[in-house]
Amino acid sequence: MTLRGTAARWDRALFDAVARRHWPGGERVLPRLGRAANHGVLWGGTALAIAAFGSAPARKAALRASASLALASATINTIGKWSVRRARPLLDGVPAVRQLSRQPQTTSFPSGHSASAFAFATGLALHAPALGAAVAPVAASVAFSRVYTGVHYPSDVAAGAALGVAAGFAVRRIAQRLEGARAVPGDEPDAVDAPALPDGEGLVVVVNAGSGSAAAAGLDVLRDRLPKAEIVECDGPELRRELNAAAGRAAVLGVCGGDGTVNAAATTALRAGLPLAVFPGGTLNHFALDLGLAGAEETCRAIAEGRAVKVGVGRFTPGPEPVAAPGPDADPDPDSDTARASGRAAEAEPAGHPGGGAPAGYFLNTFSIGAYPELLRHRLHWAPRIGGGPAMVLAAWRVLRTQRPVRLRLSGRPRNVWLLFAGNGTYHGTGPAPRRRDSLAEALLDVRLVHGGGRPGPRLLAAAFAGPLSRSPVHTATRLPHLRIDDVPPGTPLAYDGEYARAPQSLVVDTLPHALTVYRLS
């Protein structure tokens, strides 16, 4: 008998041994526990409870555990079930009281329930060991219930559990790489006209009071290094009004907060023709890290010495007409993997409203239509009621279950897309998810599309493994000076730098090279 045959025989023997043995209380508990874990409901509820009642580190651990579960589930459903088409076990010998009323129709290897259970438990344990220890027995019971009820062989469960553990470690590694990213200055040109403010006089810094402890620490440094700077603290609803008021009396406009707050300040600075000073105070600080700003100390030194750079800004303008013609060699088709910019986008019009009188919007990092804006829309809807962490879990679940592709026209061509992403400059990283940029001086959009068809989860996962400049059935990436988008369905959301808005029917996305002066040490 071959090794494979021997393994199959022992697998069946162990399955039969479980079926023959009486497990006290098992008939009442294990089938119900397995049903509770269908579609990840048990683990989603656990994550919501931790997010609602746990500490900040616990909420962070729950989010990473949910990400581990999502990775394991997507891997099982897109690769595992397709690669090994093993039939479900015959139910001979399994007591009828244990059998599920509705038998699974998918293939047997590996066990998705086991993968999800162990992925969630591993992701939780790696970041909150006490919570992980509490959840581990439940995860093991869910995995065992799949053999107990006769829907999986023991080897199915073991393989699923191994994949789940691997998913937990993979998510931890990804998180460590993101958190360990260091701010490194790029090759942006120097801004020779930026004023030096040795004691901070003329600097007005608007602070988003909701940014938390990171912003508070930055303000302590600011008060010490630039004592004559004016500091204005405000809540989110007052932010734009305070920024506009500050721009009217400042020589330099400063901002302390996350990427959304920095976006609002950059928009104000562009329209007022002022240099911008960024004090990182948010959770991720994508713009500050890509620019090379590690903290408030460096920003204070740059202001005192008058050292700044010119950076490009992304812009989206409502209206059917492009605001700048591409160069003669540019390829306007976003499906081209050889497009390069040979012309420059139009210069910024800070005080005007291009596009037939409609106001332009600006983005320092990213612009998107499709799955991510829908995720953001649902999160913003639920966050005031149940908190940010639970709202994110609920939003992801809602989008993956109900999202439909967006049908629109890109540069005159009809497209169905799950996600349209445009980055201000070229991002590293494969697939549709941005990671980091080496320079903010490019006059290019990093355009990535996840084409419609199938379900959003498998499509987005497949796109994540595609190359940064690739053409595949699910994912396309290119670099363009501008992109025209038409026939956007009414009510379609768009997102820019983590902010949410309704998309107009037609718009042009382009870049404004060297449009914004930002303080930074060279």
Side-chain angles (χ1 to χ4, degrees):
M1 182 177 291
T2 65
L3 179 62
R4 182 176 180 180
T6 302
R9 183 167 59 86
W10 280 100
D11 207 17
R12 182 70 203 195
L14 185 56
F15 176 88
D16 291 337
V18 172
R20 288 193 302 268
R21 183 169 178 178
H22 173 65
W23 304 85
E27 285 83 358
R28 292 188 297 110
V29 176
L30 291 177
R32 290 186 175 92
L33 187 61
R35 288 195 296 270
N38 287 347
H39 308 296
V41 172
L42 174 63
W43 311 118
T46 302
L48 288 173
I50 294 172
F53 303 107
S55 62
R59 291 194 295 271
K60 186 176 182 180
L63 181 61
R64 292 184 178 176
S66 300
S68 302
L69 184 152
L71 176 60
S73 179
T75 303
I76 290 290
N77 291 325
T78 57
I79 300 175
K81 296 290 188 181
W82 296 348
S83 59
V84 181
R85 296 187 174 276
R86 185 182 195 181
R88 296 276 177 174
L90 297 176
L91 296 178
D92 298 345
V94 179
V97 69
R98 301 185 189 178
Q99 296 180 23
L100 302 180
S101 57
R102 296 182 61 183
Q103 292 295 318
Q105 300 301 312
T106 57
T107 55
S108 185
F109 184 93
S111 167
H113 279 65
S114 302
S116 297
F118 275 81
F120 187 86
T122 301
L124 200 61
L126 289 173
H127 305 287
L131 290 173
V135 167
V138 182
S141 297
V142 168
F144 177 70
S145 75
R146 307 308 285 173
V147 179
Y148 180 84
T149 55
V151 296
H152 279 293
Y153 291 105
S155 61
D156 301 337
V157 170
L163 285 170
V165 171
F169 278 93
V171 168
R172 184 182 71 164
R173 183 176 181 182
I174 292 170
Q176 288 174 338
R177 290 181 63 182
L178 292 176
E179 291 178 348
R182 298 184 59 189
V184 179
D187 60 356
E188 298 80 10
D190 292 336
V192 296
D193 55 346
L197 308 177
D199 54 9
E201 185 173 4
L203 169 66
V204 181
V205 181
V206 178
V207 182
N208 187 340
S211 296
S213 58
L219 292 182
D220 290 340
V221 174
L222 172 60
R223 292 188 180 98
D224 179 61
R225 294 295 305 270
L226 303 174
K228 291 189 178 181
E230 178 185 351
I231 299 174
V232 179
E233 297 190 54
C234 63
D235 294 324
E238 303 172 348
L239 180 65
R240 294 188 182 276
R241 178 172 60 83
E242 293 294 345
L243 284 168
N244 288 331
R249 62 181 185 274
V252 174
L253 180 62
V255 61
C256 182
D259 285 305
T261 302
V262 174
N263 175 285
T267 299
T268 302
L270 274 171
R271 290 173 176 163
L274 292 174
L276 182 68
V278 177
F279 296 87
T283 302
L284 299 177
N285 302 311
H286 286 300
F287 177 72
L289 286 173
D290 288 344
L291 187 61
L293 294 173
E297 178 70 29
E298 292 185 0
T299 303
C300 289
R301 284 182 54 198
I303 295 170
E305 298 173 13
R307 297 163 67 180
V309 293
K310 296 282 189 179
V311 302
V313 176
R315 175 175 62 175
F316 54 97
T317 307
E321 296 302 324
V323 295
D329 298 324
D331 186 345
D333 179 9
D335 280 347
S336 169
D337 58 1
T338 60
R340 295 292 185 272
S342 60
R344 293 169 61 89
E347 292 299 324
E349 300 175 15
H353 286 167
Y362 301 94
F363 58 97
L364 301 174
N365 302 312
T366 62
F367 168 94
S368 60
I369 290 176
Y372 176 72
E374 284 289 349
L375 179 73
L376 185 61
R377 180 172 71 88
H378 289 301
R379 183 179 70 81
L380 292 175
H381 174 74
W382 287 106
R385 308 179 190 184
I386 61 176
M392 178 61 76
V393 175
L394 183 60
W397 176 255
R398 182 75 178 270
V399 167
L400 290 176
R401 284 179 59 86
T402 65
Q403 174 72 2
R404 296 292 181 268
V406 180
R407 183 162 183 83
L408 39 72
R409 296 180 70 86
L410 298 179
S411 298
R413 298 188 178 188
R415 292 285 184 266
N416 279 329
V417 298
W418 285 117
L419 178 66
L420 185 158
F421 163 88
N424 176 32
T426 301
Y427 276 87
H428 291 281
T430 60
R435 187 175 301 169
R436 63 179 179 83
R437 293 163 288 183
D438 289 333
S439 174
L440 290 167
E442 289 184 291
L444 289 172
L445 297 170
D446 185 344
V447 179
R448 308 189 185 195
L449 306 178
V450 179
H451 300 292
R455 294 184 176 273
R459 284 265 164 170
L460 294 170
L461 178 67
F465 288 100
L469 287 175
S470 67
R471 176 177 294 175
S472 74
V474 298
H475 176 245
T476 300
T478 187
R479 292 192 286 266
L480 297 169
H482 81 280
L483 177 66
R484 176 174 168 177
I485 307 172
D486 295 304
D487 297 341
V488 181
T492 299
L494 63 81
Y496 59 101
D497 291 352
E499 300 297 299
Y500 164 84
R502 295 290 183 181
Q505 183 179 6
S506 298
L507 67 157
V508 174
V509 186
D510 64 354
T511 60
L512 305 175
H514 308 161
L516 182 65
T517 297
V518 185
Y519 283 88
R520 188 200 71 188
L521 296 174
S522 300

